Amino acid sequence: MPETILLVDDEKEIIKLMEIYFNNEGYRLMTASDGLQALEIIGKEEVDLVILDVMMPNMDGIETCMKIRESYEMPVIMLSAKGQDMDKITGLSIGADDYMVKPFNPLELVARAKSHLRRYNRYQGKARQHNDHEIVIDDLVINTATHEVCVDQQKVKLTPREFAILEMLARHQGNVLSTDQIYEKVWNEPFMESGNTVMVHIRRLREKLERDSKNPKYIQTVWGVGYKIDKG
């Protein structure tokens, strides 16, 4: 399903123009003419990014942004005909992620929206825990309750120790874990020069998870230090 962008503006010309640009880029564009309509849509629909005009009837963009931030984390780009620094500071200080001054270049707005969506998906979406039991990293899904692992929607059978190593690395995304850290945690005994044991299990994990185990996508080797899974 395409990502959904909500454009909140009472200028029909801007809405018509941006509909063309965002639809051409494959996004689903929803529109609202004021803050009250926007909040109603956000409450019913799954919205990935909001573009919010400051000057609107009924409820302006500043108040709308504050209401959004009470419950939602999606990126918000503010639009305003005002270019003074204080207006930008106000917009950013209440939780907006970006600020553009009208008139703006439609291609620049699309580019900024893409950038914020990419960042949001990377750090708040795909690589975050989707619930208390799931860790999702790109197309790798680890269910810590059922001990099930899927890659590209295909189940992968792991031994208990293979699963324990994978879960440990996944819970510490971006951090390098040394061989002795992994061994002591997974085998629950002091590390006694058993680096080969960990290495063998890492190799087996890669053979099961990776399309090309020699060029791993998930578990990376940091030579002389240990292993890590990069943030998604």
Side-chain angles (χ1 to χ4, degrees), residues 8-231:
V8 191
D9 200 311
D10 60 338
E11 295 187 45
K12 293 181 180 179
E13 295 79 8
I14 288 178
I15 286 179
K16 288 180 180 178
L17 178 66
M18 295 314 303
E19 276 181 337
I20 296 171
Y21 279 90
F22 281 118
N23 289 338
N24 284 343
E25 292 293 329
Y27 294 103
R28 175 186 179 221
L29 185 69
M30 303 190 71
T31 63
S33 59
D34 62 48
L36 293 175
Q37 288 183 9
L39 293 173
E40 186 177 349
I41 290 171
I42 292 171
K44 295 178 180 178
E45 301 281 344
E46 186 171 333
V47 175
D48 299 293
L49 180 141
V50 180
I51 300 171
L52 192 58
D53 187 31
V54 172
M55 302 298 292
M56 294 183 298
N58 299 324
M59 181 184 288
D60 66 21
I62 298 296
E63 187 178 354
T64 305
C65 185
M66 293 172 68
K67 290 286 186 182
I68 290 172
R69 281 293 172 256
E70 289 176 3
S71 305
Y72 303 97
E73 297 181 356
M74 79 281 280
V76 175
I77 300 175
M78 302 287 289
L79 302 177
S80 177
K82 299 179 180 179
Q84 290 85 355
D85 287 341
M86 280 307 300
D87 293 310
K88 295 180 182 180
I89 292 169
T90 300
L92 296 173
S93 66
I94 62 168
D97 298 276
D98 206 346
Y99 188 102
M100 289 189 69
V101 178
K102 293 180 177 180
F104 55 83
N105 184 326
L107 289 173
E108 183 182 355
L109 179 56
V110 171
R112 291 198 191 192
K114 280 184 176 180
S115 176
H116 285 291
L117 283 168
R118 188 163 53 243
R119 191 176 299 116
Y120 179 71
N121 287 335
R122 182 174 183 182
Y123 295 109
Q124 301 294 328
K126 294 179 182 177
R128 75 180 187 274
Q129 290 187 329
H130 280 205
N131 55 50
D132 291 340
H133 305 302
E134 273 193 359
I135 304 173
V136 181
I137 307 165
D138 292 330
D139 56 2
L140 170 65
V141 180
I142 305 163
N143 190 309
T144 59
T146 63
H147 281 216
E148 290 183 342
V149 175
C150 293
V151 176
D152 198 18
Q153 300 182 337
Q154 300 296 316
K155 284 188 178 181
V156 177
K157 290 185 178 181
L158 300 182
T159 67
R161 281 192 170 139
E162 288 169 352
F163 184 89
I165 293 172
L166 180 62
E167 180 183 359
M168 186 179 179
L169 290 168
R171 289 190 182 279
H172 295 83
Q173 290 174 53
N175 297 322
V176 181
L177 301 181
S178 66
T179 301
D180 57 337
Q181 282 179 301
I182 295 171
Y183 186 89
E184 289 177 1
K185 178 69 173 178
V186 173
W187 275 262
N188 198 29
E189 60 184 53
F191 179 71
M192 299 290 290
E193 297 299 324
S194 301
N196 285 340
T197 301
V198 175
M199 184 177 67
V200 167
H201 280 74
I202 293 287
R203 186 177 71 240
R204 289 175 181 166
L205 265 174
R206 284 174 172 159
E207 289 171 352
K208 294 179 178 182
L209 299 176
E210 306 282 358
R211 291 188 177 90
D212 181 0
S213 61
K214 294 182 180 179
N215 296 289
K217 175 181 178 181
Y218 301 112
I219 302 174
Q220 306 296 322
T221 300
V222 181
W223 296 108
V225 184
Y227 303 94
K228 70 171 181 175
I229 291 180
D230 288 325
K231 289 187 175 181

